[in-house]
Every structure is written in C-alpha cells, then in structure tokens.
Amino acid sequence: MDLAGVEQAPGESFRWKAKYSYDLASRETPRRGSACSPTSAQAAAKVRDARYLFLGNIDPELQLGVLDQVKQPALVACDTMNYWIHSKRDLLLELLRHIDILMVNDSEARELSGDWNIYRAARWVLRSAAPR
C-alpha cells in the first residue's frame, strides 16, 4: 500500500465504531466520533494519475473533491454509511453518478433507496448510478 497521499492535519479525524450482524446485512453504530471534516482534500500528484480509486467512508463532499482531482480513473469504488446517507444525501446521490462500485450492506441500500425490499433497493441504487 502506497501512503504517499496520506496527509496529517490538525484536528479530529472522522471515525466510527460498528457492530455487524452475523450475516453482515445490518449493523449498529454505537459510537460515531467527530464528523468534522476539512473543507477540501488535496490529492497528492501521484494519486492524481491513479487508474483505480477507492473513496473510503468519509464525507461525500470530500469524496467528490478527491475524485475531481484524479485525471482519468479506470475504476472508482466508494464506501458510505447511514450517517452520510441521512446527513449528506444530495451529495451522496451526486457521487453515485461518478462511481463504478458502491460498497453498502443491505440496511444501507434500504436506507439509501427508501425501500425495505432488498431487490428493489438494489435496482434503485443501480438506476441512480449513471455510467461514467
């Protein structure tokens, strides 16, 4: 793993703790740390040429900001959670239009789509993600 793009900055980082069900279909979030995020993220020059990009579970505004700095990624994946689904929904929906892979479990797909049926929730997610 290349850590060249990791930046150390003052202040708290976003962090959370989860307890997943035995089948990983749902989870509880008993603790979430500070959600304060920097207003922008600067991708290192080496990262800007990345072919494969994974946008970890951070503020969707930062995910979009990093994605905007990467020149021509061949594949973009991202992770999210219930906190971002509820607090930054519009930005998260915008992000979906720019990614290839979304990593969510059943309960997150249901929260994102607003549909309890996992099949319909998955179809909704697929429809919401337009081809890049």
Side-chain angles (χ1 to χ4, degrees):
M1 180 175 284
D2 186 350
L3 300 177
V6 175
E7 178 185 338
Q8 187 173 8
E12 292 190 37
S13 295
F14 175 70
R15 62 193 180 286
W16 60 285
K17 181 178 181 177
K19 180 179 178 183
Y20 287 87
S21 63
Y22 74 96
D23 62 359
L24 303 178
S26 63
R27 54 95 198 89
E28 295 175 31
T29 308
R31 185 172 55 208
R32 181 182 47 77
S34 171
C36 297
S37 300
T39 56
S40 67
Q42 294 300 314
K46 192 173 186 179
V47 174
R48 292 182 188 142
D49 292 323
R51 292 198 38 155
Y52 306 102
L53 182 63
F54 174 65
L55 301 167
N57 180 13
I58 58 174
D59 188 320
E61 186 173 354
L62 290 175
Q63 290 172 315
L64 283 164
V66 170
L67 180 57
D68 192 46
Q69 296 174 58
V70 179
K71 293 177 185 170
Q72 291 182 318
L75 184 89
V76 179
C78 83
D79 185 18
T80 195
M81 66 180 289
N82 60 329
Y83 179 75
W84 304 121
I85 291 168
H86 295 286
S87 68
K88 301 274 183 132
R89 181 179 178 76
D90 290 343
L91 286 169
L92 186 55
L93 293 176
E94 172 64 25
L95 178 65
L96 287 183
R97 296 201 311 260
H98 301 282
I99 64 167
D100 303 294
I101 300 170
L102 174 64
M103 296 184 195
V104 292
N105 63 19
D106 298 19
S107 65
E108 292 160 339
R110 288 177 171 119
E111 288 174 276
L112 188 56
S113 69
D115 195 327
W116 65 270
N117 180 286
I118 192 60
Y119 176 78
R120 289 191 307 252
R123 300 299 302 167
W124 184 92
V125 170
L126 289 171
R127 282 192 312 272
S128 298
R132 294 188 300 131

